[in-house]
Amino acid sequence: MLVESAPDMAVVGQAGDGREAVRLAQAERADVVVMDIRMPGTDGIEATRLIASTEDLAGVKVLVLTTYDTDENVVEALRSGASGFLVKDTRPAELLSAIRTVAGGESLLSPGPTARLIARVLRGPRTGPAPVALAPLSDREREVLTLVARGLNNTEIADALALSPLTAKTHVSRIMGKLRVRDRAQLVIVAYESGLVAPGDGGA
C-alpha cells in the first residue's frame, strides 16, 4: 500500500519466499527487490546471492530488511550483493526514499549502524570467501575506499580530499571495477575484511 501510494513507484510482484522472489525478479525485471532475510525455504541471503549472480538480472537491485539488533545475517546479505539494508521499523517516508536511492544506483548505508554491525560481525570467525586483496589499488584509491567505508558519499569524499565530485565518483567506480564488486555496500565489507579500516576507527 505504501509503495503504491507513491506516484513514481509500482509493485510488480510479491513473493512469500526467496525462491519465488528470484522467479519474480526474472519474470518482472523489477528495478528494486525489497528482500526480507528470514523466510521459509530459500532465505533472503540465498535469494540475494542468486539474483546478484544471474547475469541477466544485473540491473535488479536488492534492498534487504533486517531487525538489525538481532539479525547479523545482514552482513552476509551485503556480501551476497545487496545494495543496502533497512530496519523493519523504518518510517514510511524513509522507506520510499531508500527504494529511490537504490533504484538510482546508489547503496543505502547508514554510517553509524552499518559500521557498528559490520565491526561486530567481523570480530568473529570468518566463514565466507577469502578477503579481497587491495593490491590493485593506488594510494589515492585506498584513501577513497577508506572514506567510503566510513559512510561518506561522493560529495563528502570530494570535500575531504580536495577533489571534484566527478573525480571522486570516478575513483569509486574504478575501485569497484578493480575489486570486482557490485556497489558501495560491498566496498564497505571489503574495506573491513582487508584490514584497511578496523572496527572502531574514527569516522565510522
Side-chain angles (χ1 to χ4, degrees), residues 96-116:
L96 295 179
S97 177
I99 293 172
R100 293 186 184 101
T101 296
V102 171
E106 295 293 326
S107 295
L108 188 79
L109 295 172
S110 177
T114 303
R116 288 195 298 271

Side-chain angles (χ1 to χ4, degrees), residues 132-174:
V132 176
L134 301 184
L137 302 186
S138 66
D139 289 342
R140 174 61 84 184
E141 287 167 342
R142 286 170 182 257
E143 289 179 314
V144 171
L145 178 56
T146 298
L147 297 179
V148 169
R150 291 176 178 169
L152 275 64
N153 60 33
N154 290 342
T155 300
E156 292 165 337
I157 291 171
D159 290 343
L161 299 178
L163 305 171
S164 72
L166 179 58
T167 299
K169 181 178 180 180
T170 299
H171 278 307
V172 172
S173 296
R174 286 177 179 169

Side-chain angles (χ1 to χ4, degrees), residues 11-99:
V11 176
V12 297
Q14 298 182 66
D17 58 38
R19 182 64 62 179
E20 187 180 3
V22 175
R23 182 184 63 77
L24 281 173
Q26 293 173 321
E28 302 293 343
R29 291 299 193 276
D31 296 304
V32 178
V33 176
V34 181
M35 183 80 74
D36 198 356
I37 287 182
R38 298 175 183 274
M39 293 183 289
T42 302
D43 65 16
I45 295 173
E46 180 60 21
T48 297
R49 184 177 294 111
L50 290 170
I51 290 172
S53 63
T54 301
E55 188 173 346
D56 64 350
L57 293 180
V60 178
K61 308 297 182 183
V62 178
L63 181 61
V64 300
L65 286 171
T66 176
T67 52
Y68 173 55
D69 285 333
T70 60
D71 204 343
E72 295 183 348
N73 285 327
V74 68
V75 172
E76 289 305 319
L78 294 175
R79 283 192 183 118
S80 299
S83 293
F85 70 89
L86 288 174
V87 293
K88 290 185 177 180
D89 60 356
T90 297
R91 295 177 180 177
E94 293 173 348
L95 172 60
L96 295 179
S97 177
I99 293 172

